Amino acid sequence: MSGLIKRSVTIAGHRTSVSLEPVFWDALVAEADGEGRSVNALVAEIDEARTTNLSSAIRVWLFERRGG
């Protein structure tokens, strides 16, 4: 499956939705698990540093994190 999946996350106490391809959701969950954190906590950290839309920021963060 290569289509987008939309999921809700909570950032700073309010909910928002993020649309990512399944491979990015899998990578995001793996990174959060590897750090012993929730996906919400990891997305909140990415959100604080972003300069583009949240979905793009997550993709770039994962790409850089995984040696891209």
Side-chain angles (χ1 to χ4, degrees), residues 15-36:
R15 302 205 30 98
T16 190
S17 61
V18 178
S19 296
L20 294 170
E21 295 79 5
V23 67
F24 287 107
W25 279 118
D26 292 345
L28 186 64
V29 169
E31 289 291 333
D33 288 347
E35 294 182 10

Side-chain angles (χ1 to χ4, degrees), residues 12-68:
H14 52 276
R15 302 205 30 98
T16 190
S17 61
V18 178
S19 296
L20 294 170
E21 295 79 5
V23 67
F24 287 107
W25 279 118
D26 292 345
L28 186 64
V29 169
E31 289 291 333
D33 288 347
E35 294 182 10
R37 300 167 54 177
S38 69
V39 170
N40 286 337
L42 184 52
V43 170
E45 178 184 306
I46 295 168
D47 180 60
E48 288 178 14
R50 72 184 170 112
T51 59
T52 187
N53 73 64
L54 184 55
S55 294
S56 294
I58 292 169
R59 288 183 189 98
V60 169
W61 186 90
L62 287 166
F63 181 79
E64 291 175 347
R65 180 77 170 207
R66 295 192 162 220

Side-chain angles (χ1 to χ4, degrees), residues 2-14:
S2 60
L4 293 175
I5 297 173
K6 183 182 273 191
R7 294 192 180 155
S8 294
V9 295
T10 302
I11 301 171
H14 52 276

